[in-house]
Structure formats: C-alpha cells, structure tokens
Amino acid sequence: MGFGIFLLCCNLILPLMMIGFGMVFLNHPPGKINSYYGYRTRRSMLNQNTWEFAHKYCGRLWKRIGIIMLPVLMAVSIPMLWMSETMQGVLTGILETLQILVMLGSIFLVEGALKREFDENGNPLH
C-alpha cells in the first residue's frame, strides 16, 4: 500500500501546483517582464500590458483547472490503492500523461486570449 500512497501523492502534485501557481499569478504576478519566471511566451512578453494580461488569465485558468482536476484525480487514484502495483503504475502513467496534456493545452487558451485582446505588436484591440 505504501507504493500506492506514493503514486496517489504523485497524481496530486500537478493539480496542486496549478492551483498554487494560479494563485501566485493572480495575487503576486512577476512585476516586470523577465526571462526567468512567469508565463513566458513571445506574445506574453511583447510589452507590460500583454505580460500582465497573460498572468492574470493564466492564473485564473490554472486555478480553475487545478480545482477541477484535484477531486477527479483523487476519485480515480484512491481506488487504485487496492490494485496490483503493476496496474497502479500503468494507470498513474496514463493519469500523469493526461495531466500534462491538460496543462500544455492551457497554453493554447492563454495564447488565444492574448490574440483576441492584442494585435501582433501588443497593442490592445479594444
């Protein structure tokens, strides 16, 4: 059962990180554009307006996704405690892959929002 508890913890790391970073990006985003920390894409780093918008949007999105993923993953992971270690490992691999795909998919949503709100030079469209 120790291995199953370890895998349960592994399955909850990404949603907890998304909630945590979502709250940080909402409440204490990186103030200035930098190449070390934050939501860093070509479009988000065009200017200070795109930088701030991207962090606020990404923060809200990651917080929501994490809050949704956390109970779902718990509901799926807890019954795995009574499965064989091989099955636990396989299912954890599948769950981790799906989580990473969801997190990477959020980049497309943030980039789409930036594209709707700003032109290619970072000027607001509205």
Side-chain angles (χ1 to χ4, degrees):
M1 177 139 333
F3 183 65
I5 292 171
F6 171 74
L7 293 180
L8 170 67
C9 293
C10 290
N11 287 337
L12 302 181
I13 288 173
L14 192 60
L16 290 172
M17 285 179 59
M18 289 181 82
I19 293 168
F21 276 105
M23 290 170 43
V24 168
F25 284 176
L26 280 171
N27 301 319
H28 305 287
K32 294 182 181 177
I33 299 170
N34 68 77
S35 57
Y36 303 107
Y37 167 71
Y39 181 86
R40 300 179 324 266
T41 62
R42 185 192 60 77
R43 193 177 295 274
S44 72
M45 296 173 75
L46 284 173
N47 60 43
Q48 195 63 33
N49 289 335
T50 58
W51 181 254
E52 291 170 6
F53 177 87
H55 282 86
K56 185 177 282 190
Y57 193 91
C58 183
R60 267 194 320 268
L61 184 63
W62 277 9
K63 186 178 170 187
R64 287 179 186 158
I65 291 171
I67 288 171
I68 291 167
M69 282 179 24
L70 192 61
V72 170
L73 287 166
M74 286 182 73
V76 172
S77 297
I78 290 173
M80 287 173 32
L81 294 173
W82 290 273
M83 295 179 183
S84 71
E85 287 186 359
T86 302
M87 189 58 123
Q88 289 175 359
V90 169
L91 292 175
T92 295
I94 292 168
L95 291 175
E96 295 294 330
T97 301
L98 292 173
Q99 290 180 64
I100 290 169
L101 291 174
V102 167
M103 187 184 75
L104 291 175
S106 69
I107 295 170
F108 293 102
L109 297 174
V110 177
E111 292 300 303
L114 282 165
K115 201 171 189 178
R116 286 189 303 275
E117 295 294 320
F118 300 94
D119 67 16
E120 61 276 350
N121 298 316
N123 300 313
L125 292 175
H126 308 289

